[in-house]
Amino acid sequence: MNKSKSPVIIAVIGALVTMILIIVVINSNSSKKEGKKAPVTQKNVTQTLEDCLKSIKVTNAEKVKGTVDYSDKSAANLPNINTKYPLTVEGTGDVDIEIFSTSEKAGKNNNGWLNEVAEEFNKQGNRLSNGKSMSVSVRSIASGASCDYITNNVYIPQAYTPSNELFGELAVENGAKLKLEAESLVSNVAGIAISRTAASTLKSKYGNVSFETIVDAVVSGELQMGYTYPYTSATGLNFLVNALQHFDGSDMLSSAAIEKFQQLQKGIPFVCYTTDQMVNAMQSGTLQAGVVEYQAYTNSPVLKGGYDFVPFGYKHSNPLYSVGELTPDQQQTLSAFLNYALSDGPQAHAKEYGFDPDNSFSYNTSKLNGSDIISAQRLWKEEKDSGTPTVALFIADVSGSMGGDPLARLKESLLQASKNIKPDNYVGLLSYSDNVSLELPISQFTLEQQSYFAGAVERMRTGGNTATYDALLVGVDLINQYKQTVPDAKAMIFLLSDGQCNEGYDYKTAADIVDYYGIPIYTIGYNEDIESLKDLSSINEAVYIDADNDDVVYELAALFNAQM
């Protein structure tokens, strides 16, 4: 052998041996990982749940009847507006106009057009003819929530700009004094974002992809889509009334329209509490289509990259109303601001943010008054489940940190929100601290069950640690057992907690079981932003709500109304 080549050969052999060893180690580790991951089966999950339940102490509380309160306290339950919906722009002029605005105009970044216009207006140092300085304040708040504050006389701004005129008509019908100052502050379009794969399939069958063909495809079970809560979302309300008009153009509340609407709802896995929830469901593949405004669609790389935008319904022209009786100074200030907002500079800036889309879509021009809209919302509430009942379990954290005002507000929120539960649904209640207490077994929400529910809520007391996932595992088991009685029912759990779990089983154990059974877990982080609860809600397309003492009653009422 040539000695000069020996070091090279040895080096090559060494390198080969090293590579082989690395590959062996990788394959060995991979095999170990695969070996540890047993296939998920009904038997595995059931056995795991059974094993967990054996170590969880559950107390069965005695059923006690309470008083069912039917009074309407919706106005009193509205949260403090400055805490829940702080000003996004605060004017400091001698005469200041406050405007309620939707979030796509008064949010952040590409959604902050109206904020920027108001700030620029305020910087100009404009003055009235009498020398007083003018300014504008902006408050970002959903169309429906704005309507609630105004019509209940809880908080009255000087101006209101919902996404479309539907909520303006609704507010007037409910007693608000509105004057239309401008039909359009900035242009937008409501639409359905539909995956390009689903759009191609629809085009092959129906010849085109339109609002009507999409709705027909959902009715016939060929497409699953989502839309937003029509009590607070202008886009969701727009979809609702246009679907009903499509079903019967002469009477959107006819028996034929109602029958079609029930069929439609069977193709709607859930009505989304927020637009974010719907977009997340679309990204995960749960939904093939969902309602969205064009400005949000064009600013979303995910939607623009994989979905077509199909416009529909009434104009989202963002009308501007004055509210109540403005003083001459206030009216002059509002007019000055409106003239500035409609000038070339601000309008060109709006286009940069995706407003004022260039399309030839023919909008719905049929007139809807406020009473029609209220009737459509009531129909939605009564028929949204398409005859399918819901089995729901409420799980309440009564650990020591919930003592005092938090528990009082929790009780109030459950009692007030339960008024939104239809009697054909099935409801039960768990509470937990160190251990778990079955306060009320699941049963149909008849008047008697409502009375037992009220009694169970009233007797809850606080103390101990926070065994959140113990309670959740017990809840999953109760839901699964009761589903055998009503197998076609939808199942859901509402979990309210004010802190991280510090007792019992961990998140991973509970999450795997929740994931397998597919039960949506709606979570409420009470006086605390809790990441684990957010993660829990994301498993099966539910929502997480960050609530506090001030707004928990309002938030739960809206959530129950949307889902129950």
Side-chain angles (χ1 to χ4, degrees):
M1 181 180 290
N2 187 333
K3 291 184 179 180
S4 64
K5 293 184 179 181
S6 296
V8 177
I9 294 172
I10 292 170
V12 171
I13 293 173
L16 288 172
V17 170
T18 302
M19 290 175 64
I20 291 169
L21 287 173
I22 291 171
I23 292 170
V24 168
V25 170
I26 291 173
N27 287 338
S28 174
N29 288 341
S30 178
S31 297
K32 289 177 182 177
K33 290 177 182 178
E34 291 299 322
K36 288 181 179 179
K37 187 177 180 181
V40 178
T41 66
Q42 174 72 45
K43 182 178 179 180
N44 290 341
V45 174
T46 301
Q47 188 61 56
T48 300
L49 182 55
E50 288 178 358
D51 291 343
C52 291
L53 292 172
K54 289 175 184 177
S55 62
I56 300 173
K57 182 180 179 181
V58 180
T59 303
N60 293 307
E62 182 182 354
K63 292 168 67 175
V64 177
K65 287 189 175 181
T67 302
V68 179
D69 179 12
Y70 288 105
S71 61
D72 182 7
K73 298 180 181 178
S74 56
N77 292 334
L78 285 167
N80 181 292
I81 197 164
N82 290 314
T83 303
K84 183 65 178 177
Y85 306 104
L87 291 171
T88 52
V89 175
E90 185 171 3
T92 58
D94 298 325
V95 180
D96 185 65
I97 294 294
E98 182 177 329
I99 304 173
F100 278 5
S101 171
T102 49
S103 60
E104 74 273 10
K105 303 191 294 290
K108 297 178 180 179
N109 302 321
N110 290 346
N111 296 321
W113 174 79
L114 188 61
N115 293 337
E116 294 176 17
V117 173
E119 288 169 350
E120 286 301 317
F121 177 81
N122 292 344
K123 289 177 183 177
Q124 293 173 0
N126 298 295
R127 292 189 175 272
L128 298 164
S129 54
N130 58 16
K132 293 180 180 178
S133 60
M134 298 184 285
S135 68
V136 169
S137 294
V138 179
R139 196 179 298 274
S140 180
I141 178 170
S143 298
S146 294
C147 188
D148 287 342
Y149 280 98
I150 293 170
T151 58
N152 286 291
N153 290 309
V154 173
Y155 191 97
I156 308 296
Q158 287 74 47
Y160 170 40
T161 172
S163 296
N164 58 37
E165 292 190 18
L166 296 175
F167 270 107
E169 294 290 339
L170 193 62
V172 170
E173 181 67 22
N174 284 320
K177 185 176 178 59
L178 302 184
K179 177 187 174 185
L180 186 63
E181 300 286 344
E183 291 186 356
S184 178
L185 192 61
V186 65
S187 296
N188 207 349
V189 179
I192 298 173
I194 179 171
S195 74
R196 296 203 171 107
T197 301
S200 177
T201 302
L202 257 64
K203 189 173 183 179
S204 298
K205 178 172 182 178
Y206 294 96
N208 71 315
V209 182
S210 64
F211 173 81
E212 292 76 16
T213 58
I214 290 174
V215 169
D216 290 342
V218 176
V219 168
S220 61
E222 301 165 332
L223 183 73
Q224 286 201 321
M225 71 165 287
Y227 61 93
T228 43
Y229 181 43
Y231 276 81
T232 56
S233 166
T235 312
L237 182 58
N238 198 350
F239 176 84
L240 171 64
V241 296
N242 276 275
L244 292 171
Q245 289 173 327
H246 171 56
F247 297 146
D248 189 336
S250 60
D251 181 6
M252 69 176 187
L253 301 174
S254 69
S255 57
I258 293 173
E259 183 179 353
K260 284 285 189 181
F261 178 71
Q262 290 172 335
Q263 295 173 21
L264 171 76
Q265 288 300 105
K266 292 179 181 178
I268 308 290
F270 50 85
V271 171
C272 304
Y273 186 67
T274 64
T275 302
D276 286 344
Q277 180 196 10
M278 186 185 63
V279 172
N280 289 338
M282 291 166 69
Q283 290 180 241
S284 69
T286 304
L287 299 175
Q288 297 164 295
V291 300
V292 66
E293 287 185 303
Y294 180 80
Q295 183 263 347
Y297 167 82
T298 196
N299 285 316
S300 168
V302 171
L303 292 181
K304 283 197 73 176
Y307 295 80
D308 290 335
F309 181 83
V310 181
F312 74 85
Y314 291 91
K315 284 184 177 181
H316 274 218
S317 55
N318 296 282
L320 180 68
Y321 300 90
S322 56
V323 185
E325 295 287 347
L326 301 191
T327 66
D329 285 354
Q330 290 173 329
Q331 186 66 57
Q332 187 179 344
T333 301
L334 181 60
S335 297
F337 175 73
L338 180 58
N339 288 336
Y340 175 67
L342 295 177
S343 64
D344 292 343
Q347 289 298 306
H349 191 42
K351 290 183 179 181
E352 295 172 1
Y353 281 170
F355 291 105
D356 195 22
D358 181 18
N359 66 66
S360 57
F361 174 66
S362 297
Y363 297 97
N364 188 341
T365 57
S366 61
K367 183 66 176 176
L368 272 184
N369 58 43
S371 62
D372 294 330
I373 299 168
I374 291 173
S375 296
Q377 287 180 325
R378 287 174 178 165
L379 170 64
W380 176 83
K381 173 63 178 173
E382 291 302 315
E383 304 293 343
K384 65 183 176 66
D385 296 320
S386 63
T388 303
T390 296
V391 176
L393 187 69
F394 302 97
I395 303 178
D397 179 354
V398 292
S399 58
S401 58
M402 288 288 291
D405 192 44
L407 181 64
R409 294 295 282 172
L410 165 60
K411 290 180 176 181
E412 184 183 2
S413 67
L414 286 171
L415 293 174
Q416 291 297 321
S418 66
K419 296 177 183 180
N420 295 286
I421 301 174
K422 295 191 295 183
D424 58 347
N425 291 325
Y426 301 83
V427 170
L429 174 66
L430 282 176
S431 69
Y432 71 93
S433 54
D434 297 287
N435 299 310
V436 181
S437 176
L438 178 55
E439 303 288 351
L440 182 65
I442 299 172
S443 187
Q444 188 171 352
F445 207 56
T446 60
L447 179 58
E448 183 176 49
Q449 183 74 348
Q450 291 179 54
S451 178
Y452 282 129
F453 184 82
V457 169
E458 286 297 343
R459 71 165 170 231
M460 290 193 300
R461 299 292 182 268
T462 59
N465 290 319
T466 310
T468 300
Y469 302 116
D470 286 10
L472 182 58
L473 292 172
V474 172
V476 169
D477 184 55
L478 290 172
I479 288 281
N480 286 340
Q481 289 183 40
Y482 203 84
K483 277 273 288 177
Q484 296 176 24
T485 307
V486 280
D488 294 333
K490 296 186 299 183
M492 59 185 66
I493 290 174
F494 296 89
L495 171 62
L496 190 149
S497 177
D498 76 333
Q500 298 288 352
C501 175
N502 58 17
E503 184 91 10
Y505 285 99
D506 61 8
Y507 171 85
K508 180 66 166 60
T509 302
D512 288 345
I513 290 172
V514 166
D515 185 22
Y516 183 83
Y517 285 114
I519 301 172
I521 313 295
Y522 293 85
T523 58
I524 299 92
Y526 194 70
N527 290 327
E528 189 72 33
D529 189 8
I530 306 171
E531 287 298 326
S532 59
L533 293 187
K534 292 180 183 179
D535 294 339
L536 197 60
S537 288
S538 68
I539 293 172
N540 293 316
E541 308 299 347
V543 293
Y544 167 82
I545 295 174
D546 184 10
D548 55 34
N549 288 358
D550 187 58
D551 67 357
V552 67
V553 179
Y554 179 77
E555 291 284 6
L556 256 68
L559 181 60
F560 287 10
N561 195 37
Q563 303 301 334
M564 297 287 289

